[in-house]
Amino acid sequence: MTGYVIRRLAILPFTLFVVSFFTFAIARFGPGDPITVTAGQIRDREVLARIRAERGLDGTIAEQYIRWVGRAVQGDLGESYIQRGYSVRELIVPKMMVSAQLNILAIFFVFAIGVPMGLIAAWFNGKWLDPFIISALLFFSAIPVLVVIPPLQWLLAVQFKILPVGGWDGLIDIVWIAGVIAIPVPDPHLYLPLLVMTIPGFAGVARLVRITALQVASEDYVRTARAKGLKESTVALRHVLPNSLLPLITVIGLSLADILSGAYFTETLLGIPGIGSFTFESVRSRDYDVILATTLIVAFFFIVMNLITDLAYARIDPRVRLGARIDS
Amino acid sequence: MTTTVTPASPAAATLPRQRGPVAQFWYRLRRKKLAMISLVVIAVIYGGGITAPVVAPYTYNEQNLENALQPMSSEHWFGTDRLGRDMFSRTLYSARTTLVVSVAVLVSGSLIIGNGLGLLAGYRGGWVDNAVMRVGEVLSALPGLPMLILVNAALGPRVLEFVQWAQQGTPLAGVARDFASYMTVFMALSLFFWVGTARLIRSQVLQLRERDFVTAARALGGSTSHILWKHLLPNIAFLVVLQISGTLGGVAGSEIALTWFGVGVQPPTPSFGAMIYEGSGARNFQTHPHLLLVPGLTVSALLFAFVLLGDAINDVIRDR
């Protein structure tokens, strides 16, 4: 176990190097020169060369990369090419916060609703309700977000005028009753993105919970529990339920790994100032340092969360032996 | 979980003994109504794509500005878009785009690279396994969509240049642009789509290689390629069938997403992504719902069909 952790940690810098270099090279290899964008009207060779040097865009790719890493490890992620005078960090951090809030809420609801759905489906296995729940959830997960958002906006915002078309205004609104009592309510801008971000997620969670619950229900210890004369509800709650939730750890870990990356389509279509919509603006305007920083932060978080998930799983389920190798 | 057909199961007992595994698989799949409906939906959409040049009443870029934004009629079954192009014809040609890209990625990225590396990594183990899995880990750590967009943006112009150069003077020169935009999307998607397949296959091979028949084959002096090809591949064949459905659906979704953002298939080559983009917006939907609904419903039907089919295949394989 310790050896495995050390090995995984030892690979970490290497993985990060490959990820960052790959992104760096691709970003530099792409069309559109940020220098000419920065220079604007000026076409003077000397000025261009000076901007190039200032931005650290002179020399070979390897030199540029080393210089960039040198600054990045000190927390200096560079300056935005497009939004002049802003450091990448001050641009990215608030947007990541918005995305993170939205993502955490979405993940919470995906599991809070998806897990019971899966358990209900498993409970009604063999009856019509089981395939019905699963197919209905699968249907919702198959419709692309791109297709579903405009009709929802039209229906809820234009036709019935119960929700705003898009935008972002924090998590909580305060409603004043008679100007005296303050009641915190969820901000109305939240409903539409949450709806679109959670519903497609139910199917995956519910299916996983259902299949594990069915597997667990056919285990010997469940039969033993029944043979002891325990009530069916006790068997379900005490023996089947806890064991069916075990594989969820991996799934929850993996979805937590994505917290910092935005919901690209939802944010873009609904005009939410999160990291997803910002990434797209940056890719479109070739704001290299923003793209690089975003990619790296997301990748770093993903790798670390992956590691934590693996370790947590091994800790909880003693049957999992990490790094066990069969010699061929 | 065994992928080979186990004659001990009650369903198999009713089967004629002589049938091969493929026939048995098909026999069980055929009894699942949803799977059959899905197959029909997929066949209709893909068939429309294949026969588009014959079936389509108009070409995909035939404009008629006086006839723009027409609702559905007998003349234009699915109406016309902003430039007066026939939506039905465009849908057929978009299905063609989706078909070409997803089959190309399936064959190269998923079937050849994914299965090949997965088999090799699982069977050889050691540094080969480590190398493949680490590369996969790197690729899966990269945030998918922005990376795809970056790769596509970086590759696009170069692929186009190359294709135009390669086709200079040949009769193919006219289709260079179409071909280049397929190629770009295909290369970018292949780069990322092999990882999942390789992981799945590897984990299966890890279990299989400890089985007696593999040990026997090795003891009899079978070479690595012989064991991979003759002993391991047939045993993961059903997993491959499962991947086909998953990959085709996944690639179709990615291609549409990429094109929606303007870095996938380039106009005038038609794509569902571009059609959906043109139909987006609440107001737009209010005044001309068919702009979004025609491509949107087609895509949703296709993706849903793939999900249901994959589910059914999964059930058949695991014999649940």
Side-chain angles (χ1 to χ4, degrees):
Chain A
M1 178 83 185
T2 325
Y4 178 78
V5 176
I6 291 170
R7 224 171 334 125
R8 284 286 294 260
L9 286 177
I11 296 172
L12 191 66
F14 174 73
T15 317
L16 281 179
F17 161 72
V18 178
V19 166
S20 61
F21 188 73
F22 186 69
T23 321
F24 195 84
I26 291 238
R28 294 290 189 265
F29 190 61
D33 183 9
I35 305 298
T36 39
V37 177
T38 321
Q41 298 286 321
I42 306 162
R43 287 288 174 271
D44 186 20
R45 223 168 255 272
E46 253 174 66
V47 176
L48 291 184
R50 208 187 64 223
I51 297 173
R52 198 174 285 276
E54 241 171 49
R55 295 297 171 122
L57 287 172
D58 52 341
T60 61
I61 283 246
E63 283 170 21
Q64 293 182 26
Y65 175 72
I66 291 168
R67 222 175 296 143
W68 182 83
V69 170
R71 286 189 198 157
V73 290
Q74 291 164 22
D76 175 13
L77 293 167
E79 193 180 302
S80 166
Y81 291 118
I82 307 300
Q83 307 199 30
R84 306 283 295 279
Y86 285 94
S87 77
V88 171
R89 201 157 67 172
E90 53 185 326
L91 284 177
I92 285 184
V93 171
K95 301 207 155 92
M96 281 196 168
M97 294 322 281
V98 170
S99 287
Q101 290 172 5
L102 208 50
N103 284 338
I104 291 174
L105 274 179
I107 291 170
F108 173 76
F109 284 113
V110 163
F111 286 97
I113 300 173
V115 171
M117 292 275 203
L119 290 174
I120 294 173
W123 181 261
F124 287 101
N125 184 32
K127 303 197 181 69
W128 64 272
L129 198 58
D130 172 20
F132 176 78
I133 291 181
I134 297 297
S135 331
L137 294 183
L138 279 179
F139 173 72
F140 286 121
S141 75
I143 310 175
V145 181
L146 293 175
V147 178
V148 93
I149 290 182
L152 274 181
Q153 278 178 315
W154 167 75
L155 191 73
L156 299 173
V158 180
Q159 205 65 12
F160 294 123
K161 296 187 171 44
I162 40 179
L163 292 178
V165 183
W168 175 261
D169 199 16
L171 288 182
I172 286 175
D173 266 5
I174 306 286
V175 174
W176 290 93
I177 293 184
V180 192
I181 314 155
I183 302 174
V185 290
D187 188 82
H189 292 90
L190 281 176
Y191 293 112
L192 205 46
L194 277 182
L195 209 61
V196 190
M197 286 167 74
T198 49
I199 292 179
F202 293 155
V205 177
R207 270 210 295 184
L208 181 73
V209 171
R210 172 184 171 271
I211 202 98
T212 350
L214 289 179
Q215 251 163 27
V216 171
S218 65
E219 296 274 353
D220 286 343
Y221 59 80
V222 174
R223 194 157 9 125
T224 314
R226 271 210 195 97
K228 280 197 297 193
L230 293 182
K231 271 186 295 183
E232 195 57 27
S233 59
T234 319
V235 175
L237 287 177
R238 295 288 294 277
H239 294 267
V240 178
L241 182 67
N243 287 309
S244 346
L245 299 183
L246 212 53
L248 278 183
I249 297 166
T250 313
V251 186
I252 293 177
L254 283 180
S255 25
L256 287 179
D258 271 339
I259 279 186
L260 289 186
S261 59
Y264 305 105
F265 299 110
T266 312
E267 286 180 8
T268 309
L269 274 170
L270 294 178
I272 295 166
I275 199 70
S277 50
F278 190 56
T279 308
F280 272 118
E281 284 165 35
S282 318
V283 170
R284 278 193 171 163
S285 53
R286 316 248 169 275
D287 205 344
Y288 288 147
D289 281 10
V290 172
I291 304 168
L292 261 176
T294 322
T295 311
L296 274 187
I297 295 174
V298 169
F300 181 77
F301 199 69
F302 181 87
I303 295 168
V304 172
M305 282 308 289
N306 236 341
L307 181 64
I308 295 176
T309 310
D310 279 359
L311 299 180
Y313 196 63
R315 198 68 203 268
I316 295 167
D317 189 344
R319 285 171 303 183
V320 177
R321 277 174 57 224
L322 286 178
R325 258 196 298 192
I326 319 156
D327 292 310
S328 60
Chain B
M1 184 189 72
T2 47
T3 49
T4 44
V5 177
T6 45
S9 68
T14 59
L15 288 174
R17 271 296 141 97
Q18 315 305 327
R19 285 193 189 175
V22 176
Q24 288 197 17
F25 172 76
W26 179 241
Y27 175 84
R28 285 195 208 156
L29 190 65
R30 222 173 38 196
R31 299 199 310 188
K32 299 201 176 275
K33 274 187 218 123
L34 276 178
M36 287 301 110
I37 296 172
S38 309
L39 267 182
V40 170
V41 169
I42 294 166
V44 166
I45 294 175
Y46 275 7
I50 294 169
T51 57
V54 186
V55 177
Y58 302 84
T59 59
Y60 60 79
N61 50 7
E62 189 177 321
Q63 299 183 9
N64 183 357
L65 291 172
E66 284 169 13
N67 234 340
L69 295 169
Q70 294 296 312
M72 302 186 181
S73 64
S74 60
E75 204 172 324
H76 297 282
W77 288 0
F78 289 173
T80 59
D81 71 0
R82 216 161 278 287
L83 295 172
R85 297 174 294 192
D86 180 49
M87 293 279 282
F88 180 60
S89 307
R90 281 183 71 72
T91 305
L92 290 176
Y93 276 99
S94 299
R96 194 180 176 82
T97 302
T98 300
L99 174 68
V100 170
V101 172
S102 34
V103 169
V105 176
L106 171 76
V107 170
S108 70
S110 180
L111 290 187
I112 296 178
I113 307 180
N115 282 330
L117 289 180
L119 276 169
L120 206 61
Y123 182 69
R124 289 295 290 273
W127 70 269
V128 180
D129 185 19
N130 254 328
V132 172
M133 286 299 108
R134 288 297 85 76
V135 173
E137 193 178 272
V138 167
L139 285 178
S140 61
L142 293 167
L145 217 46
M147 269 332 275
L148 275 177
I149 287 172
L150 265 186
V151 171
N152 251 8
L155 279 179
R158 281 169 180 80
V159 172
L160 183 62
E161 259 169 46
F162 175 76
V163 170
Q164 277 173 340
W165 170 78
Q167 294 181 338
Q168 246 166 20
T170 67
L172 287 171
V175 294
R177 193 164 268 281
D178 274 11
F179 183 70
S181 87
Y182 287 151
M183 274 302 280
T184 316
V185 177
F186 148 71
M187 280 160 65
L189 288 176
S190 290
L191 185 63
F192 291 92
F193 260 89
W194 65 268
V195 181
T197 310
R199 282 204 178 135
L200 185 71
I201 296 296
R202 171 182 171 270
S203 66
Q204 193 67 25
V205 172
L206 278 182
Q207 291 168 17
L208 280 175
R209 72 169 187 192
E210 300 305 316
R211 300 268 291 272
D212 290 341
F213 66 91
V214 178
T215 318
R218 210 181 309 147
L220 289 169
S223 65
T224 302
S225 68
H226 169 83
I227 294 173
L228 287 181
W229 197 248
K230 291 280 174 190
H231 295 279
L232 294 178
L233 193 62
N235 276 295
I236 56 164
F238 286 108
L239 275 184
V240 176
V241 176
L242 186 60
Q243 284 160 42
I244 292 178
S245 157
T247 310
L248 286 178
V251 174
S254 302
E255 180 258 313
I256 288 156
L258 281 177
T259 310
W260 192 89
F261 270 102
V263 289
V265 176
Q266 295 302 314
T269 314
S271 157
F272 287 125
M275 290 175 82
I276 291 172
Y277 184 80
E278 282 159 24
S280 290
R283 291 284 173 197
N284 212 346
F285 182 77
Q286 190 177 22
T287 47
H288 307 290
H290 73 283
L291 286 184
L292 181 76
L293 287 181
V294 169
L297 290 179
T298 316
V299 166
S300 305
L302 183 69
L303 296 183
F304 188 41
F306 273 123
V307 172
L308 286 180
L309 182 65
D311 224 34
I313 294 176
N314 199 14
D315 279 359
V316 170
I317 292 173
R318 299 189 184 201
D319 206 5
R320 237 160 227 293

